[in-house]
Amino acid sequence: MANVFTSTTTPGGTAGGAGLVQKAYDRLLEFALRSEPLIRSVADKRPARQAIPGSTVVLQRYVDLTAATTALTEDTDPDAVGISTPTSVTITLAEYGNAVLVTRALELFSLADVDPAIANIIAYNLADSIDKVAMTTLRGGTNVIYGGDATATNEIVAGDTLASANIRKAVAKLRAGNAKGRKGNLYWVGLHPEVSHDLRAETGSAGWLIPHQYGSSQNEIWAGEIGTYEGAYFVETNRMYNATDGASSARVYRTIVAGQQALAEAVAEEPHVVVGPVVDKLMRHRPMGWYGVLGFARYREEALYRIESGSSIAS
């Protein structure tokens, strides 16, 4: 008589149902791959003596007198000149936030501890969202340089890559406009990794200095900082805005070159995580989210340039 085996394929061991062999799950869940939020850090101008609360905040700048280069006449009293009206920049504040509603059943049935994970996801959503709000304002500047031979965004193709000449021009324009550097006399450059690939392929390693070679303190190095070149220090991040708005839907990348006070922010309530009250009849639904009230504006256009280009490895 043949042997009868009790195995994983027989009724006694069939997976699922009332079988003895079941699927096994790892109770440790990993988070999605994330980029480091850093665009908000470009906003280094904030109200210092705000008079009253308000839905808009006005920042002002004095205007210098025109240089007096004509020699005075000994017996003539010079005419007095008037001080010009200060220029102003208005920041409009807005509410931002997001929320999830966690059920009691999820907490009871979940194989993993969901509360810490949800808190982590909400906190990242806060930083990610505010960073993108800041980027929307930052990339809207009026000073634009185009890669290759393009003269408009809708003319850019993949071959119109970022070149050293584009960086030199932006740095020269910032210096000509009296823009101050963000790290000593170096300007900040934020560029996408696929744009960085083309620039470094053109320049080679000889033109680059990595952070420790130019004396930058380790606690002052930006996330993603890859080095200095042509009067600027470069931060490589995929958070730089890009869209398929070039010629024949080619992907166009925005590289930002910024000096001090290019971007300003005003905050009525710093974005923060909120655990809301449980108000349903059976106390089964618990809200968690984040909330903040703030706004951004370009403070000194002369301290900001945007370079639009393609990439030979555009994704």
Side-chain angles (χ1 to χ4, degrees):
M1 179 177 173
N3 291 325
V4 177
F5 293 93
T6 300
S7 68
T8 59
T9 59
T10 61
T14 302
L20 300 175
V21 179
Q22 300 290 329
K23 292 180 180 179
Y25 291 87
D26 187 356
R27 297 182 64 192
L28 177 62
L29 281 72
E30 299 287 353
F31 294 101
L33 295 176
R34 298 168 172 174
S35 58
E36 182 76 18
L38 53 79
I39 304 303
R40 187 184 178 188
S41 301
V42 178
D44 58 354
K45 171 62 180 176
R46 298 170 184 84
R49 297 179 181 177
Q50 187 171 328
I52 57 174
S55 60
T56 59
V57 177
V58 179
L59 306 176
Q60 298 187 89
R61 301 190 304 266
Y62 286 114
V63 178
D64 284 335
L65 293 173
T66 301
T69 58
T70 302
L72 296 177
T73 302
E74 180 180 358
D75 57 357
T76 302
D77 193 20
D79 294 332
V81 297
I83 299 292
S84 298
T85 302
T87 58
S88 62
V89 173
T90 300
I91 303 176
T92 301
L93 305 185
E95 294 179 291
Y96 296 97
N98 206 355
V100 299
L101 203 56
V102 184
T103 67
R104 179 63 174 161
L106 175 64
E107 295 178 333
L108 293 174
F109 300 156
S110 176
L111 62 85
D113 189 0
V114 296
D115 282 352
I118 292 172
N120 183 293
I121 292 169
I122 288 172
Y124 180 75
N125 182 252
L126 182 164
D128 178 50
S129 301
I130 297 303
D131 221 48
K132 289 178 178 176
V133 172
M135 172 55 80
T136 299
T137 300
L138 187 64
R139 66 181 173 84
T142 57
N143 300 318
V144 189
I145 296 171
Y146 298 100
D149 57 1
T151 58
T153 303
N154 60 8
E155 296 178 4
I156 293 175
V157 298
D160 293 323
T161 58
L162 180 68
S164 299
N166 301 137
I167 300 297
R168 281 195 295 270
K169 181 176 180 180
V171 168
K173 289 292 187 180
L174 291 178
R175 295 209 194 286
N178 295 323
K180 305 300 181 185
R182 290 183 59 91
K183 184 184 290 187
N185 63 349
L186 298 176
Y187 298 116
W188 180 90
V189 175
L191 75 170
H192 192 281
E194 292 174 350
V195 173
S196 171
H197 164 272
D198 292 318
L199 178 63
R200 290 198 278 178
E202 179 209 23
T203 61
S205 60
W208 287 86
L209 286 178
I210 60 177
H212 79 266
Q213 289 179 326
Y214 57 86
S216 182
S217 171
Q218 296 303 301
N219 61 6
E220 295 177 354
I221 295 176
W222 283 56
E225 187 172 339
I226 57 175
T228 181
Y229 179 66
E230 293 288 2
Y233 66 100
F234 289 71
V235 176
E236 187 180 76
T237 172
N238 63 358
R239 303 190 73 84
M240 300 308 298
Y241 181 80
N242 58 91
T244 54
D245 51 357
S248 302
S249 298
R251 185 166 295 279
V252 178
Y253 299 82
R254 278 71 171 177
T255 296
I256 301 296
V257 186
Q260 286 183 31
Q261 297 186 337
L263 185 66
E265 74 167 8
V267 180
E269 185 169 345
E270 181 66 29
H272 60 285
V273 173
V274 176
V275 178
V278 179
V279 296
D280 64 296
K281 295 180 180 65
L282 299 180
M283 301 187 71
R284 297 181 303 153
H285 307 149
R286 184 158 52 86
M288 297 177 65
W290 65 269
Y291 174 79
V293 183
L294 73 167
F296 297 91
R298 294 182 302 280
Y299 185 64
R300 295 187 187 272
E301 290 284 0
E302 63 272 30
L304 181 65
Y305 262 81
R306 181 178 75 256
I307 305 173
E308 297 189 3
S309 66
S311 171
S312 64
I313 58 170
S315 57

